[in-house]
Amino acid sequence: MASAKQQENMLLTEHFTWPPISLIDDIINAINEVLYRCTDSFETGLLAADPALLGFADLYGKEGRTPERDEDGNDVYPEARLEIEEGVLKLETLMENAVDKNFDRLEIWTLRNVLCIGSGAGRGEEELVKWVRLGHYENLQAPSKDSKLDPEVLFNLRRKLVETQKLNAALEAEKNRNEAQIAKLRALLQPAIAPKREPRNSTSPAKATNGTENGAPFAFLTHTPAAQALGVQPLPQASVASTAAPESRTPLTTHTSFTTSQLPYLRQLLSSLKPHLPTTALPTSTNKNSDELSRERKVYLESQSKRILEKRGVDTKDGVEGAWEGRRPGAEEVRGLEALAQGLGRGRKEDIRMEDAGAGAVDGGEEMDTS
């Protein structure tokens, strides 16, 4: 549970709509800003002054040193700038310390005696925090003690409130985007109103303005004589949109009614064109001869096969039938392969003959043993 001081701070924050300590912080920040401006001005003045007037000439005289001279013949004291910066920094530190000490006292005194609610501690008075009622608390009905609003229900209600606020923000953003998009689309169709100008005395003709020059490249769709001849109503001006007639604010209805009115004419035109369809129809492929179709297909396949074989490096001068990839075998290689095949065939026949003879001999020996 919050302490009495915390409750007092929360009550004051709710009443002022800002925490009490922020007032003291603003005062201290303003004083520090004035302090820094003073030290900056003081440093600028010292750096602009002649170092000899600040005692550097006497210092050099006591130490027996001779100052250097610049191009104009003036004495130069290199230590002057460093001494001034260090001195100003020390002065600024002392002033900050004094401000912090005194304004810390102001902060404590203000929070205890001004920005507070009398608690009466040690004086026999009751605490006043529990008896204070702010203006927005009036006519506020507190829930009864037997209410069913347990912490879980309150948590769910809080979650619903947060989600509702998120949804509301998203819908507002979507609404703003839609309004901006509608305004952009209207700007494409609605030419800008040209400002009134005084009559010109020049004899040169004035330049004609159109929708493109006014930033409406599609204004010709609704604001040209051709569009008006077709019955397309122009969009109302933004300034008179609220006072315009309902018919002028519904261009989509006007366009739809115009399109519907043209449908009978289109049907009549279609019925007049139907008798000409048989005579003007494109020739079909049913009258072609089947032999011609097969010949065309063969030529097509041969041309495609030849193209593929040529890509692979196969010679297609003699046609594509029987062509294969790689080197073509010579006549001697073919004869050698044929002789090898014949030799293998003869050897196979002799093996079969010898197997048959051996089988007959075995059968004869067995018969002799049984006799």
Side-chain angles (χ1 to χ4, degrees):
M1 183 176 179
S3 62
K5 189 61 178 177
Q6 292 176 347
Q7 293 180 359
E8 180 180 344
N9 289 333
M10 289 188 293
L11 183 62
L12 291 174
T13 302
E14 188 174 359
H15 175 63
F16 293 127
T17 65
W18 42 265
I21 192 65
S22 63
L23 176 62
I24 309 299
D25 293 339
D26 291 340
I27 295 174
I28 296 176
N29 291 334
I31 297 300
N32 289 331
E33 186 68 24
V34 174
L35 171 63
Y36 295 143
R37 286 204 300 267
C38 291
T39 54
D40 290 341
S41 301
F42 187 64
E43 182 179 2
T44 303
L46 290 177
L47 292 175
D50 187 5
L53 300 177
L54 299 177
F56 287 96
D58 298 337
L59 178 63
Y60 270 62
K62 291 179 181 179
E63 295 178 355
R65 293 188 299 169
T66 303
E68 300 178 359
R69 295 181 179 275
D70 56 4
E71 298 177 355
D72 298 334
N74 299 324
D75 295 337
V76 177
Y77 301 93
E79 299 87 352
R81 185 177 186 85
L82 181 60
E83 290 286 343
I84 291 173
E85 290 178 354
E86 290 181 355
V88 171
L89 180 59
K90 293 178 181 179
L91 176 62
E92 183 177 343
T93 304
L94 290 175
M95 295 178 69
E96 286 179 351
N97 187 17
V99 168
D100 292 340
K101 182 188 297 183
N102 291 280
F103 279 90
D104 285 344
R105 296 175 182 175
L106 174 65
E107 177 181 352
I108 296 173
W109 183 85
T110 305
L111 293 178
R112 286 182 178 179
N113 300 280
V114 179
L115 300 176
C116 66
I117 299 175
S119 59
R123 289 177 290 179
E125 299 179 2
E126 297 181 357
E127 295 182 358
L128 301 179
V129 175
K130 62 178 67 176
W131 300 103
V132 174
R133 184 179 65 181
L134 300 179
H136 56 275
Y137 286 165
E138 294 181 1
N139 301 325
L140 183 63
Q141 299 294 334
S144 58
K145 294 183 179 180
D146 57 349
S147 176
K148 297 181 180 179
L149 295 178
D150 53 354
E152 184 177 358
V153 175
L154 291 176
F155 178 75
N156 293 333
L157 291 176
R158 189 178 295 108
R159 289 291 301 273
K160 289 181 180 180
L161 177 61
V162 172
E163 296 299 330
T164 304
Q165 291 175 349
K166 290 181 180 179
L167 179 60
N168 185 26
L171 293 177
E172 288 291 338
E174 185 69 21
K175 177 185 175 183
N176 295 334
R177 287 195 297 269
N178 292 339
E179 290 179 353
Q181 188 68 19
I182 291 174
K184 291 180 180 179
L185 294 176
R186 284 184 176 274
L188 295 176
L189 295 174
Q190 183 66 49
I193 301 176
K196 294 183 179 180
R197 298 180 180 179
E198 297 181 357
R200 300 175 58 184
N201 297 327
S202 176
T203 57
S204 60
K207 294 183 179 180
T209 58
N210 51 22
T212 305
E213 296 178 357
N214 294 330
F218 299 107
F220 67 92
L221 297 175
T222 56
H223 291 76
T224 55
Q228 296 176 3
L230 293 175
V232 179
Q233 296 292 335
L235 292 176
Q237 297 290 341
S239 59
V240 297
S242 58
T243 59
E247 292 79 5
S248 62
R249 294 198 301 268
T250 56
L252 183 60
T253 305
T254 305
H255 299 170
T256 306
S257 60
F258 170 74
T259 305
T260 307
S261 63
Q262 298 298 320
L263 289 178
Y265 175 73
L266 294 176
R267 292 194 185 97
Q268 182 181 0
L269 183 61
L270 181 61
S271 61
S272 62
L273 291 176
K274 280 184 178 180
H276 300 280
L277 289 177
T279 58
T280 59
L282 295 175
T284 59
S285 60
T286 56
N287 298 328
K288 287 188 176 181
N289 192 3
S290 59
D291 296 338
E292 184 179 357
L293 292 176
S294 60
R295 184 182 62 80
E296 291 180 357
R297 179 174 178 79
K298 182 178 180 181
V299 171
Y300 172 75
L301 293 176
E302 185 175 357
S303 62
Q304 295 297 323
S305 302
K306 184 177 180 181
R307 182 175 62 83
I308 294 173
L309 292 174
E310 287 178 352
K311 285 184 177 180
R312 297 183 179 181
V314 179
D315 187 10
T316 58
K317 293 181 179 179
D318 299 334
V320 297
E321 296 181 358
W324 60 80
E325 298 185 26
R327 185 178 60 84
R328 184 184 295 274
E332 295 180 358
E333 295 178 354
V334 174
R335 286 195 293 270
L337 290 174
E338 291 177 353
L340 180 61
Q342 292 176 1
L344 292 175
R346 287 196 298 270
R348 180 63 178 171
K349 291 180 181 179
E350 291 178 358
D351 292 340
I352 294 173
R353 191 180 302 110
M354 292 176 64
E355 289 178 359
D356 294 340
V362 171
D363 294 339
E366 291 178 355
E367 291 177 358
M368 290 176 66
D369 293 337
T370 54
S371 61

